[in-house]
Amino acid sequence: MSSEQTHFHYHADLNGLEVLQASFKQQNFSRHCHEGYTIGLIDCGAQKFFRSGHDHIAPKNSIILVNADQVHNGQTATEHGWSYRAMYPTPQHFEQLAHQLSGTRCGAPYFNQAVLQSPTLASQLHILLEALTEPSNTLLKESLFHTFMVQLMLASQHTPRSLKQMPNNANLSRSKQFLDEYCTQEISLERLATLCHLSPFHFLRQFKKQFSLTPHAYQIQRRLHKAKQLLKLGSTVIDTAQACGFHDQSHFHRHFKANLGVTPGRYSQLFKIQKVK
């Protein structure tokens, strides 16, 4: 049996919530980010990951918290690898629940803790993930999901997400926005540096300091975000790779698996199954 196993689950009845069930021994996730939060439970072994400028260790039964759009990576912290389950709620999931709790519009939270040790929450998350990775009815999934999310916000250290944004650099924001809009195109370093009125050398240093990724790595992230959307809509792997600016299918395959832990073909198949149901 392979030591690298992944299973993706998609829940349209929970506003597109994605769930990953995985077991790894050699997988090294490169630095990347997700549109949604990462809330994971370590089932076996331990995971080492970078977040908020530091490395963290998450042992068995601990909860991993990574904020939306926050750069992080992941690898084993033990000789025998690690197994975990994770869900990726969006900021909108949190905002809707916060609104229901307070009756006022509230921003999504920013979790200060990277690793949360709470037997009670870990037990609740285990039950929720069981429901999300096994056949369950919608009412059960929604009830468990809402209960856990509310308890997580009440029990963990967090601040309003807007207060934790990095200081805005107007020049760098222009280059970031340009990459967002034209991520599939070939873009030169000189073009980006010119947008910021910086030399290429200083632009590279400032961009990575501000966003924790090089411009190229950020471009890859935006291409992968676009690729996920196209695969969900039924685009083939080959067409998606071309549409998103990857040189060839193998190049796309390598980056996709390094970031999500699953191949684009496996990810695409998940949504084909959903449409048949």
Side-chain angles (χ1 to χ4, degrees), residues 203-249:
F203 168 72
L204 278 173
R205 293 184 62 186
Q206 291 300 316
F207 191 97
K208 185 173 183 180
K209 181 179 179 181
Q210 176 82 1
F211 302 114
S212 298
L213 291 171
T214 65
H216 176 257
Y218 181 78
Q219 181 188 47
I220 293 296
Q221 292 301 302
R222 300 313 305 167
R223 288 178 174 181
L224 291 174
H225 289 167
K226 180 177 177 65
K228 287 176 62 180
Q229 298 305 314
L230 291 177
L231 291 172
K232 287 179 182 179
L233 293 172
S235 177
T236 67
V237 174
I238 294 176
D239 288 344
T240 299
Q242 293 176 343
C244 293
F246 290 98
H247 297 308
D248 52 45
Q249 190 173 343

Side-chain angles (χ1 to χ4, degrees), residues 8 20 53 82 90 94 98 106 141 162 174 218 232 235 259 265:
F8 249 99
L20 174 67
W82 85 104
T90 64
F94 279 107
C106 300
K141 288 188 293 185
S162 59
R174 279 195 286 271
Y218 181 78
K232 287 179 182 179
S235 177
N259 279 262

Side-chain angles (χ1 to χ4, degrees), residues 13-269:
D13 49 359
L14 286 173
N15 294 323
L17 180 71
E18 294 183 354
V19 179
L20 174 67
Q21 185 177 16
S23 178
F24 296 122
K25 186 173 183 179
Q26 299 176 335
Q27 173 78 24
N28 282 325
F29 289 97
S30 57
R31 289 194 182 186
H32 63 284
C33 58
H34 303 287
E35 298 111 314
Y37 292 75
T38 299
I39 301 176
L41 178 66
I42 303 297
D43 292 320
C44 182
Q47 180 181 348
K48 177 181 178 181
F49 66 102
F50 170 88
R51 202 212 91 165
S52 304
H54 304 283
D55 286 328
H56 306 272
I57 301 293
K60 182 179 178 180
N61 295 326
S62 62
I63 298 173
I64 291 175
L65 296 173
V66 180
N67 297 291
D69 295 321
Q70 187 168 44
V71 175
H72 61 287
N73 62 11
Q75 63 189 78
T76 184
T78 69
E79 179 182 354
H80 302 292
W82 85 104
S83 298
Y84 72 104
R85 289 165 293 164
M87 63 178 184
Y88 303 92
T90 64
Q92 289 71 34
H93 281 115
F94 279 107
E95 289 167 0
Q96 291 170 2
L97 289 171
H99 177 66
Q100 293 170 23
L101 282 173
S102 65
T104 60
R105 292 184 62 85
C106 300
Y110 179 100
F111 293 105
N112 300 317
Q113 297 160 281
V115 180
L116 181 61
Q117 301 284 0
S118 170
T120 300
L121 281 176
S123 177
Q124 291 182 359
L125 182 55
H126 169 75
I127 295 171
L128 169 59
L129 291 170
E130 282 287 306
L132 293 175
T133 53
E134 299 291 341
S136 301
N137 65 50
T138 298
L139 181 58
L140 174 62
K141 288 188 293 185
E142 289 181 343
S143 300
L144 292 172
F145 178 73
H146 282 67
T147 299
F148 172 78
M149 293 280 278
V150 169
Q151 292 301 316
L152 176 64
M153 286 191 289
L154 293 175
S156 60
Q157 300 173 13
H158 69 271
T159 54
R161 190 169 181 239
S162 59
L163 297 180
K164 293 296 293 186
Q165 295 296 322
M166 297 183 68
N168 183 48
N169 182 308
N171 286 338
L172 291 178
S173 294
R174 279 195 286 271
S175 66
K176 185 170 178 283
Q177 183 179 7
F178 189 86
L179 283 168
D180 289 340
E181 294 180 5
Y182 303 103
C183 66
T184 64
Q185 299 183 17
E186 291 295 337
I187 302 171
S188 70
L189 176 61
E190 179 109 21
R191 177 70 181 275
L192 293 173
T194 299
L195 287 172
C196 302
H197 306 292
L198 294 170
S199 70
F201 173 75
H202 285 95
F203 168 72
L204 278 173
R205 293 184 62 186
Q206 291 300 316
F207 191 97
K208 185 173 183 180
K209 181 179 179 181
Q210 176 82 1
F211 302 114
S212 298
L213 291 171
T214 65
H216 176 257
Y218 181 78
Q219 181 188 47
I220 293 296
Q221 292 301 302
R222 300 313 305 167
R223 288 178 174 181
L224 291 174
H225 289 167
K226 180 177 177 65
K228 287 176 62 180
Q229 298 305 314
L230 291 177
L231 291 172
K232 287 179 182 179
L233 293 172
S235 177
T236 67
V237 174
I238 294 176
D239 288 344
T240 299
Q242 293 176 343
C244 293
F246 290 98
H247 297 308
D248 52 45
Q249 190 173 343
S250 63
H251 186 228
F252 174 46
H253 184 284
R254 176 166 55 85
H255 280 294
F256 198 96
K257 190 174 188 301
N259 279 262
L260 277 82
V262 64
T263 66
R266 288 278 300 278
Y267 186 83
S268 175
Q269 187 63 33

